[in-house]
């Protein structure tokens, strides 16, 4: 284990098991005949009009997801296509802009979901572990001593998924990268990140996603997201086959809406939390799409690409469970563009190649789990 500067100790991970199972006596017995996934924890470490605000206390936990939109450092990585994010690159990405980006991201995490910020937060579009270490050291959130789970992915641009968590609320058990194989290309894409452990004393697995983009058009890219959905669905089924009440929370930028076939048909995520049948999952952000509220906007049309999807084990009345009405999109005015043409849309870091000094092209989402 290697000590990082400051309060962080970077975790070293090993993995061989194909799927992460909940920690129960049954899975312990099953593990005797399978390879185990092991992980060494790194130690550092305006709600919408229809959502119901909740207070985060000892029996509740705030879980969030945020696409950070290209959180790159200023150093060249010869293994990835990061040329635009260099001091001499197309975006003139220098230390001042990098530091401003870190400050902005930390200011969102400072109060995202509750005055004390999220207990667990999934992230995507981060270049490497270094940018995460720099992020958790920002003055606005340093006192929380967020710990980091991260693996490098085969994405050509080098952007990855990650998870941050407060060590006094979540005890890390296992973690691994789940490779996502695309059906029509050998080009690498972002791995899903699978992390399990104990949240407020209850076993739960988080799966952080960043599915293939719509670049190239819907017809060309739809099959890639459907393939990603099938692979994540297989992971969920492996967990619930061992324990039908396994608590699994999927979060991420799915690059599809809650109404698209990858989510509804392949992932089997629905809006009806009271009538989950045949292995269906509950999409806590379905209503946002139906009501025309979005987490991302393109050509003045907003959609919900950023979602949180729950297994039936999180939708019951006992133990750790979803608190109805707590799913929310975080979009205070300071994170919104004030230009007339883009008013209300996310204030991003760049508009094309024009530096705007904003936050991200996505709004973050969050919800509350209670027990």
């Amino acid at each position: 284990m290697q000590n990082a500067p400051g309060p962080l100790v970077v975790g070293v991970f090993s993995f061989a098991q194909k799927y992460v199972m909940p920690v129960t006596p049954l899975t312990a017995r099953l593990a005797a005949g399978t390879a185990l996934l092991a992980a060494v924890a790194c130690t550092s470490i305006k709600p919408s009009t229809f959502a119901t605000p909740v207070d985060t206390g000892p029996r509740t936990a705030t879980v969030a997801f945020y696409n950070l939109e290209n959180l790159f450092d200023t150093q060249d990585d010869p293994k990835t296509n990061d040329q635009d994010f260099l001091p001499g690159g197309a975006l003139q990405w220098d230390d001042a802009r990098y530091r401003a980006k870190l400050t902005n991201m930390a200011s969102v995490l400072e109060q995202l979901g509750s005055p004390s910020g999220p207990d667990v937060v999934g992230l995507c579009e981060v270049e490497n572990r270094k940018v995460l270490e720099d992020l958790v050291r920002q003055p606005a959130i340093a006192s929380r001593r967020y710990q980091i789970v991260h693996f490098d992915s085969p994405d050509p641009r080098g952007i990855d998924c990650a998870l941050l968590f407060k060590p006094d609320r979540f005890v890390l058990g296992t973690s691994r990268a789940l490779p996502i194989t695309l059906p029509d290309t050998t080009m690498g894409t972002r791995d899903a990140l699978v992390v399990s452990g104990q949240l407020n004393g209850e076993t739960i697995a988080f799966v952080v996603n960043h599915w293939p983009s719509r670049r190239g058009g819907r017809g060309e890219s739809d099959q890639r997201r459907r393939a990603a959905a099938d692979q994540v669905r297989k992971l969920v089924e492996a967990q619930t086959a061992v324990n039908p009440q396994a608590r699994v929370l999927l979060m991420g930028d799915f690059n599809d809406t809650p109404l698209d076939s990858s989510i509804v048909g392949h992932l089997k995520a629905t809006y009806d939390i009271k009538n989950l049948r045949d292995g269906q999952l509950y999409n806590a952000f379905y209503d946002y799409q139906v009501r025309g509220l979005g987490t991302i906007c393109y050509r003045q049309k907003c959609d919900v690409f950023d979602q949180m999807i729950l297994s039936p084990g999180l939708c019951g009345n006992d133990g750790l469970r979803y608190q109805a009405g707590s799913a929310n999109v975080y979009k205070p005015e300071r994170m919104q563009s004030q230009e007339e043409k883009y008013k209300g849309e996310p204030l991003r870091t760049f508009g094309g190649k024009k530096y705007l000094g904003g936050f991200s092209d996505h709004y973050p989402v969050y919800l509350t789990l209670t027990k």
Side-chain angles (χ1 to χ4, degrees):
M1 184 172 289
Q2 178 184 1
N3 290 332
L8 294 172
V9 178
V10 178
V12 180
F13 301 88
S14 63
F15 57 95
Q17 184 179 350
K18 189 171 183 181
Y19 298 113
V20 178
M21 301 294 184
V23 181
T24 67
L26 176 57
T27 56
R29 291 195 297 271
L30 291 173
T34 60
L36 292 176
L37 170 65
V40 178
C42 47
T43 320
S44 354
I45 264 182
K46 192 166 186 183
S48 74
T49 56
F50 66 93
T52 304
V54 293
D55 294 327
T56 299
R59 297 179 61 82
T60 67
T62 301
V63 181
F65 172 78
Y66 195 14
N67 180 327
L68 300 185
E69 191 198 17
N70 297 322
L71 181 57
F72 280 78
D73 62 26
T74 61
Q75 305 301 311
D76 183 24
D77 182 347
K79 300 187 296 296
T80 64
N81 181 18
D82 64 350
Q83 286 78 11
D84 287 348
F85 288 90
L86 297 174
L91 299 176
Q92 298 296 302
W93 191 245
D94 56 17
D95 188 66
R97 291 183 174 183
Y98 174 55
R99 294 297 165 186
K101 177 84 170 181
L102 290 170
T103 298
N104 285 347
M105 297 297 91
S107 75
V108 175
L109 296 181
E110 182 181 11
Q111 294 192 332
L112 172 58
S114 78
S116 59
D119 300 298
V120 177
V121 54
L123 305 173
C124 74
E125 293 203 19
V126 296
E127 184 184 14
N128 50 40
R129 184 177 293 274
K130 176 185 180 299
V131 300
L132 293 164
E133 293 172 356
D134 289 345
L135 176 61
V136 300
R137 290 193 189 101
Q138 294 301 298
I141 58 175
S143 63
R144 297 175 187 166
R145 300 178 62 82
Y146 277 120
Q147 296 187 7
I148 299 166
V149 183
H150 165 266
F151 296 96
D152 286 314
S153 79
D155 181 87
R157 295 179 58 232
I159 54 174
D160 311 322
C161 296
L163 190 87
L164 306 181
F165 63 90
K166 296 177 182 176
D168 60 331
R169 304 305 297 276
F170 179 71
V171 178
L172 178 64
T174 60
S175 63
R176 76 180 184 97
L178 173 68
I180 300 298
T181 303
L182 302 180
D184 61 336
T185 178
T186 58
M187 179 183 69
T189 191
R190 281 82 62 172
D191 298 331
L193 177 64
V194 185
V195 182
S196 66
Q198 298 281 318
L199 180 63
N200 288 359
E202 301 269 7
T203 300
I204 187 171
F206 297 104
V207 186
V208 187
N209 299 265
H210 187 191
W211 290 1
S213 75
R214 296 189 175 191
R215 186 173 291 110
R218 291 291 302 274
E220 179 181 340
S221 65
D222 276 358
Q223 63 177 325
R224 297 178 180 179
R225 288 185 298 281
R226 289 194 292 264
D230 289 339
Q231 292 165 75
V232 174
R233 175 70 198 182
K234 185 177 180 181
L235 170 69
V236 175
E237 289 176 348
Q239 298 246 6
T240 55
V242 174
N243 175 12
Q245 291 305 307
R247 295 178 174 90
V248 184
L249 192 155
L250 312 178
M251 65 176 92
D253 172 5
F254 295 92
N255 272 305
D256 266 339
T257 78
L259 308 182
D260 286 316
S261 65
S262 64
I263 303 293
V264 176
H266 291 255
L267 201 56
K268 298 184 180 179
T270 181
Y271 64 92
D272 191 352
I273 192 171
K274 295 182 180 179
N275 296 288
L276 299 177
R277 299 186 179 92
D278 301 323
Q280 287 179 321
L281 309 175
Y282 172 63
N283 192 332
F285 285 85
Y286 185 97
D287 284 349
Y288 279 86
Q289 182 69 32
V290 172
R291 299 182 189 213
L293 305 174
T295 62
I296 189 169
C297 301
Y298 179 68
R299 295 179 178 175
Q300 300 181 329
K301 180 182 183 301
C302 295
D303 285 304
V304 178
F305 281 6
D306 306 86
Q307 301 158 53
M308 305 182 86
I309 299 171
L310 315 176
S311 70
L314 284 166
C315 300
N317 298 315
D318 300 316
L320 189 68
R321 61 196 182 274
Y322 170 63
Q323 182 157 330
S326 65
N328 211 338
V329 178
Y330 185 69
K331 46 187 296 186
E333 186 175 353
R334 69 189 180 92
M335 292 174 61
Q336 300 179 29
S337 174
Q338 299 305 310
E339 290 187 45
E340 190 61 35
K341 183 177 179 180
Y342 305 108
K343 195 169 182 63
E345 297 184 5
L347 177 60
R348 53 194 300 174
T349 306
F350 286 92
K353 293 185 179 180
K354 180 182 178 183
Y355 180 66
L356 303 177
F359 299 82
S360 170
D361 57 347
H362 291 247
Y363 289 128
V365 295
Y366 66 92
L367 54 73
T368 297
L369 299 179
T370 189
K371 60 179 292 189

